[in-house]
Amino acid sequence: MPNHALALLIVTAILIAVGLIVISGLEVSAQMNLYGGVARDIFRSHIMKLAVGVVLMIVMCFVDYRYHERYVSFYYMLAIVLLILPYAFPPIAGSRRWILLPGFSFQPSEFAKLATIVCMASYIKKNKDRMKSFVHGFLKPMLLICPIVLLIILEPDLSSALIVFFIALLVLYSHGSRMIYVISTFGLIAFFFYVAQRFGVFLRGYQISRLKAFFSGDLPEQVMQAVRAFKEGGLIGKGVGLGEVKLSVPAVVTDFIFAAIGEELGLVGIVSVVSLFFLLVWTMLKLVENSNDTFVTGFVSGLALLIMIQVLVNLGVVSGLLPVTGVTLPFMSHGGSSIAIMMASIGVVVNMATSGSEAK
């Protein structure tokens, strides 16, 4: 196994271990606060989800990555079908984001992120000589992922839809699409959100309320408690399992896990975790920097973008620098769908590294 592949697995394991340590420090009172008075063994549940993730990662390490390219149409259709399936189940809190089965649930938008990366990588490989063209290097591939983005918006899950959209856009740019297309698209999206919050149109009520609160500088109570947890943690934190402020933060084991990291491990812990994510992405890119296979470089750059976008959005939301939205912290948040997809994706990257990536 190449040294960088081993380093990738080690950094992933460290991130998982830190997540386990933080989640293990949450008391039963936090569990009851999060789940409406129903105490659940979060730590045991997290272990089981990680076990599934480890199995998927190991399997993907030994599955030739070229199969993912070969069956790209299957990925695309499966993503569409999975995003439609939640309509067969009762909505949860007004949303249709989950496929509910006995004993577990699955969030299709997490698979849709992976499917988008596979589709973009395959498209770029087939059209690498035409990426400067507006039609072939921008319009066609962005139209390709529009059904996925629209289905996620309808759940509704605006943050995941934007992540899918931006991943596709930035992967195209990293492989030759023109900067003007990217800048123009960002400008149009920024104008859309300005109009939405200014006139109260296009978006749902709670989404508009969050945008208006953000632009007016009013921090939601959830964010205020998270910032307070940061302050209580100080430089080196109160210690694992110590501190009470994090217990008052809703979704502290999922979207707001940085609040627990900040209070327990302090600023040093937050900087260390963010640095580990940058190291993870750097290691992934080093693994394939000499690859001649455009599918490989497209996939790895897409996964690297997905990880860093989610890390930065998660930290931005918890610190009040971005509007409140539900985005998990990769490998660390208590979310089974995210853990499974992320760890399986790491397995794909390891296979790419060990396979030599010699295909043109």
Side-chain angles (χ1 to χ4, degrees):
M1 180 179 290
N3 290 336
H4 283 106
L6 181 60
L8 178 67
L9 293 174
I10 291 173
V11 176
T12 302
I14 293 173
L15 286 168
I16 291 170
V18 174
L20 272 172
I21 290 170
V22 172
I23 288 177
S24 69
L26 295 170
E27 302 173 4
V28 174
S29 57
Q31 299 174 29
M32 295 178 71
N33 177 54
L34 287 167
Y35 297 105
V38 180
R40 290 177 54 182
D41 190 343
I42 295 178
F43 184 71
R44 182 181 300 176
S45 172
H46 195 68
I47 289 287
M48 292 176 64
K49 292 173 180 179
L50 286 173
V52 173
V54 168
V55 170
L56 289 173
M57 183 173 67
I58 293 173
V59 170
M60 289 298 105
C61 283
F62 292 99
V63 173
D64 192 322
Y65 74 87
R66 297 171 186 86
Y67 281 108
H68 305 288
E69 180 182 2
R70 187 178 304 170
Y71 295 106
V72 62
S73 297
F74 174 76
Y75 265 94
Y76 184 81
M77 294 308 301
L78 181 59
I80 297 294
V81 171
L82 289 177
L83 288 169
I84 294 173
L85 273 180
Y87 289 91
F89 301 93
I92 298 177
S95 299
R96 297 185 183 274
R97 302 181 185 181
W98 294 271
I99 296 174
L100 306 173
L101 297 173
F104 74 98
S105 61
F106 181 75
Q107 196 166 0
S109 59
E110 295 298 328
F111 178 80
K113 295 172 185 176
L114 174 60
T116 297
I117 294 171
V118 172
C119 290
M120 288 298 103
S122 176
Y123 180 89
I124 290 168
K125 182 173 181 178
K126 294 174 182 177
N127 296 272
K128 57 185 177 182
D129 296 326
R130 299 189 288 181
M131 293 305 294
K132 297 293 183 184
S133 160
F134 173 74
V135 173
H136 297 285
F138 175 75
L139 185 60
K140 285 182 67 175
M142 294 309 293
L143 288 176
L144 178 69
I145 58 103
C146 275
I148 292 176
V149 172
L150 290 173
L151 284 170
I152 297 175
I153 289 175
L154 290 174
E155 290 182 348
D157 188 354
L158 184 60
S159 57
S160 292
L162 287 173
I163 287 173
V164 167
F165 188 86
F166 286 140
I167 287 171
L169 183 65
L170 294 174
V171 170
L172 290 173
Y173 171 67
S174 70
H175 284 75
S177 189
R178 295 183 184 276
M179 171 71 81
I180 187 64
Y181 307 150
V182 177
I183 294 176
S184 299
T185 305
F186 273 100
L188 287 172
I189 291 174
F191 178 73
F192 169 84
F193 280 107
Y194 170 77
V195 172
Q197 69 87 24
R198 178 70 175 81
F199 299 102
V201 293
F202 302 131
L203 301 177
R204 293 174 183 255
Y206 75 92
Q207 295 168 334
I208 294 172
S209 297
R210 288 178 178 179
L211 284 174
K212 287 185 175 180
F214 174 75
F215 285 114
S216 66
D218 296 329
L219 291 181
E221 180 66 24
Q222 187 177 13
V223 176
M224 292 177 64
Q225 290 299 325
V227 172
R228 185 182 162 210
F230 286 158
K231 292 178 179 178
E232 290 288 328
L235 181 63
I236 60 173
K238 292 184 174 181
V240 176
L242 302 178
E244 298 178 353
V245 177
K246 62 180 181 289
L247 302 182
S248 63
V249 181
V252 71
V253 294
T254 52
D255 304 336
F256 276 71
I257 195 170
F258 258 126
I261 296 172
E263 187 171 20
E264 294 188 2
L265 305 179
L267 179 62
V268 171
I270 292 174
V271 173
S272 298
V273 167
V274 174
S275 298
L276 281 170
F277 277 112
F278 275 105
L279 179 59
L280 179 76
V281 168
W282 178 83
T283 305
M284 288 169 53
L285 296 176
K286 290 293 289 184
L287 273 171
V288 299
E289 66 177 351
N290 297 319
S291 174
N292 295 315
D293 190 339
T294 312
F295 178 79
V296 169
T297 58
F299 182 91
V300 174
S301 61
L303 181 60
L305 283 165
L306 172 61
I307 291 171
M308 287 316 303
I309 287 173
Q310 293 207 180
V311 171
L312 295 176
V313 170
N314 190 284
L315 184 58
V317 168
V318 176
S319 60
L321 297 176
L322 291 174
V324 173
T325 188
V327 175
T328 57
L329 191 62
F331 309 108
M332 299 181 71
S333 290
H334 181 71
S337 304
S338 175
I339 289 171
I341 296 301
M342 284 291 179
M343 294 185 71
S345 300
I346 292 295
V348 175
V349 175
V350 170
N351 181 266
M352 288 174 170
T354 55
S355 296
S357 306
E358 298 298 332
K360 294 288 184 180

